Amino acid sequence: MRGFLIVGNEAFTEPFNLSDLPGAGRMDILCRCVSQALFLSHSIRKRVEVYLLLLGEPDPPKAIRIISDELRRMSPDERNIGGHLRKAVSFKASKDWMEVNSGVYVARKTLRDLLVEVSESYEIYYLREDGKDIREEVTKMKNPLFVLGDHIGVRRAEEDVILEFSSGVLSVSGLSLMAEQCVAIVNYELDRTNI
Ligand code: SAM
């Protein structure tokens, strides 16, 4: 298994306008991360999970979980993925995952709740520009899950929590990249190592 957890610092927690994904707390970034995490050319990757932590108004926190092996009717374009996320935030979230579409779940979870949960099945790595080169670690990884920020990055309070759970801080480049670019590079690095 491999996983990604993206922190949406301002991502809306109520239904939003699909014609203005950037205006929904940069929901466009989350949609592109989902697309890069899950989609191949004409197919969906196997054994990938994506977690989105939505911290924007009016009802934070909400978490969305997408399981590639269960997905139906999702396509790689931002608007389609945005439609799934929009539906997910329209439900009243409780602490347990509720399936809102095949392979798409929503719950009310804090970052700590999520990390406690995923740490049962994943080794957690924090992606940051100044981290250790991922190529030095990638061959040793078993069931890695990568945590990354959006356009704002990861705020100090959230970073402190991530560092409590993480097995390492890793970099994919000396440059500050967009979140979705990092997701694509991580998939590439894991693919070439057959993880
Ligand atoms: N201004 C933000 C900052 O300084 O954190 C930029 C955040 S960047 C657009 C989004 C996320 O991608 C970051 O929070 C980090 O998790 C990840 N990221 C960006 N460049 C990276 C790199 N070279 N290596 C690893 N992760 C990176």
Side-chain angles (χ1 to χ4, degrees):
M1 290 291 292
R2 70 179 72 164
F4 297 93
L5 191 169
I6 301 104
V7 178
N9 291 285
E10 297 176 340
F12 279 19
T13 43
E14 68 179 355
F16 46 85
N17 180 356
L18 287 178
S19 298
D20 185 16
L21 292 172
R26 296 307 309 269
M27 199 62 76
D28 60 315
I29 296 174
L30 301 187
C31 293
R32 288 195 294 273
C33 286
V34 171
S35 184
Q36 292 299 330
L38 298 178
F39 287 91
L40 296 166
S41 177
H42 302 299
S43 64
I44 293 180
R45 286 179 176 274
K46 300 210 179 335
R47 294 168 53 76
V48 181
E49 289 188 333
V50 181
Y51 293 84
L52 305 175
L53 179 65
L54 314 183
L55 297 176
E57 293 301 323
D59 192 24
K62 282 186 178 177
I64 296 175
R65 178 186 186 196
I66 305 173
I67 303 178
S68 71
D69 293 2
E70 298 177 11
L71 265 184
R72 303 277 177 278
R73 293 182 297 278
M74 186 182 278
S75 57
D77 62 283
E78 279 174 51
R79 192 179 172 91
N80 179 282
I81 295 168
H84 285 269
L85 304 187
R86 183 181 195 284
K87 181 170 175 188
V89 296
S90 72
F91 285 83
K92 188 168 161 42
S94 65
K95 70 179 179 38
D96 296 316
W97 293 111
M98 174 175 54
E99 190 166 21
V100 296
N101 256 339
S102 304
V104 182
Y105 298 78
V106 69
R108 184 172 306 286
K109 289 186 192 281
T110 64
L111 178 60
R112 182 176 294 281
D113 295 334
L114 272 181
L115 291 172
V116 166
E117 184 175 321
V118 298
S119 63
E120 286 176 17
S121 28
Y122 289 102
E123 281 173 356
I124 295 165
Y125 294 95
Y126 177 34
L127 287 182
R128 207 174 59 192
E129 190 184 325
D130 63 351
K132 188 172 176 186
D133 187 341
I134 192 172
R135 289 199 173 179
E136 291 176 31
E137 295 295 310
V138 71
T139 53
K140 304 174 208 157
M141 289 178 180
K142 283 202 190 92
N143 297 326
L145 178 139
F146 301 89
V147 183
L148 54 161
D150 59 6
H151 61 300
I152 292 171
V154 175
R155 293 194 169 114
R156 184 63 192 267
E158 280 78 32
E159 184 167 87
D160 288 345
V161 178
I162 295 165
L163 290 172
E164 268 183 53
F165 288 84
S166 92
S167 304
V169 182
L170 300 180
S171 163
V172 295
S173 158
L175 303 173
S176 180
L177 302 175
M178 292 191 284
E180 67 264 31
Q181 294 172 327
C182 298
V183 172
I185 291 172
V186 167
N187 267 336
Y188 169 74
E189 293 291 343
L190 298 181
D191 291 347
R192 66 200 290 278
T193 323
N194 282 322
I195 290 173

